[in-house]
Amino acid sequence: SQQGEEDPQALSIQEGENATMNCSYKTSINNLQWYRQNSGRGLVHLILIRSNEREKHSGRLRVTLDTSKKSSSLLITASRAADTASYFCATGRSGGSNYKLTFGKGTLLTVNP
Amino acid sequence: EAQVTQNPRYLITVTGKKLTVTCSQNMNHEYMSWYRQDPGLGLRQIYYSMNVEVTDKGDVPEGYKVSRKEKRNFPLILESPSPNQTSLYFCASSSYDRVSYEQYFGPGTRLTVT
């Protein structure tokens, strides 16, 4: 079953604007990750935030995690046309000796020059 | 260069003809996984492996088999492909060191079953 659900499904902004994408999930997690995918290509890891962290930064990316609301957000500041891609959140859960990573359906971000 | 490779990249086959998609990683990762990606459904996990000879079902395992005889390889086997298995398939790997679970993805295999 899908664990993460991104919102919105699609987002179109102008270059230079900030883009915010949200992710909600249903059960407890160990970590939450964000990935980027350019059309038809493999996913690329952007950032990981652990369940005991509330905020993390990496370059122009800012991720927040609210475990009480079971939600996360990804903020891309000063967007560029090259940021155009699909963005996925993925929730990681450990159980015994197993580890499962579940992806959402993604947000398609279009940055217009 | 650290990478995950998949072969073939593109495959068109007919219903019922057994096929194998290979996946190999050169990062000595313990964890490997197969996903399929379909429009509107995102990525769904097919099978994953925590280490050699340890595999488990993901969310959509029906119609697929895997094996993990060596740490670097994790082939996906379709014994009798059907048209509903037409999809974009990704292999991924990660270290399972309880610190980072960042997954490295292969370039994808686009499979069409007619």
Side-chain angles (χ1 to χ4, degrees):
Chain A
S1 61
Q2 295 287 0
Q3 168 73 311
E5 293 287 341
E6 293 90 343
D7 170 61
Q9 291 185 352
L11 179 61
S12 181
I13 59 174
Q14 295 300 123
E15 207 165 26
E17 294 179 341
N18 295 341
T20 299
M21 289 159 270
N22 302 297
C23 173
S24 61
Y25 57 93
K26 296 176 183 174
T27 64
S28 62
I29 61 173
N30 295 94
N31 60 67
L32 187 143
Q33 304 178 40
W34 285 90
Y35 287 80
R36 166 196 168 122
Q37 182 184 35
N38 289 89
S39 182
R41 306 185 75 169
L43 279 72
V44 175
H45 182 264
L46 295 176
I47 195 166
L48 179 151
I49 186 165
R50 303 185 201 291
S51 59
N52 60 354
E53 297 175 314
R54 292 297 167 258
E55 186 171 315
K56 215 166 178 182
H57 297 255
S58 177
R60 293 184 296 114
L61 306 180
R62 172 178 169 252
V63 170
T64 62
L65 178 65
D66 186 335
T67 52
S68 66
K69 294 181 179 178
K70 293 187 169 56
S71 67
S72 172
S73 68
L74 171 67
L75 169 67
I76 304 175
T77 60
S79 63
R80 306 165 182 167
D83 293 328
T84 294
S86 291
Y87 293 82
F88 294 87
C89 71
T91 51
R93 288 176 292 155
S94 294
S97 58
N98 290 332
Y99 174 76
K100 198 168 187 310
L101 190 65
T102 306
F103 286 81
K105 298 178 182 179
T107 292
L108 176 60
L109 173 65
T110 303
V111 182
N112 302 298
Chain B
E1 179 190 352
Q3 60 181 352
V4 178
T5 57
Q6 296 178 226
N7 282 293
R9 295 288 313 280
Y10 302 90
L11 179 59
I12 301 173
T13 189
V14 296
T15 298
K17 186 176 181 182
K18 179 179 179 180
L19 66 93
T20 299
V21 184
T22 64
C23 173
S24 183
Q25 50 92 6
N26 62 0
M27 294 167 279
N28 201 36
H29 284 165
E30 295 84 6
Y31 186 94
M32 297 187 74
S33 182
W34 276 102
Y35 300 88
R36 61 177 289 175
Q37 185 176 29
D38 302 288
L41 296 177
L43 273 84
R44 294 179 292 169
Q45 191 178 51
I46 302 170
Y47 270 95
Y48 64 98
S49 170
M50 299 297 291
N51 214 323
V52 176
E53 303 290 4
V54 180
T55 63
D56 208 347
K57 297 177 180 178
D59 296 316
V60 288
E62 295 77 21
Y64 304 94
K65 283 176 58 177
V66 293
S67 67
R68 187 90 181 273
K69 294 184 170 58
E70 303 167 284
K71 198 172 187 179
R72 63 183 292 128
N73 297 323
F74 190 44
L76 179 69
I77 303 156
L78 284 72
E79 294 269 4
S80 183
S82 62
N84 64 11
Q85 292 179 299
T86 292
S87 187
L88 180 58
Y89 291 86
F90 289 102
C91 179
S93 73
S94 68
S95 174
Y96 188 61
D97 59 4
R98 297 191 178 277
V99 174
S100 169
Y101 300 96
E102 170 188 346
Q103 295 223 338
Y104 293 79
F105 278 79
T109 294
R110 189 168 291 279
L111 172 65
T112 302
V113 183
T114 62

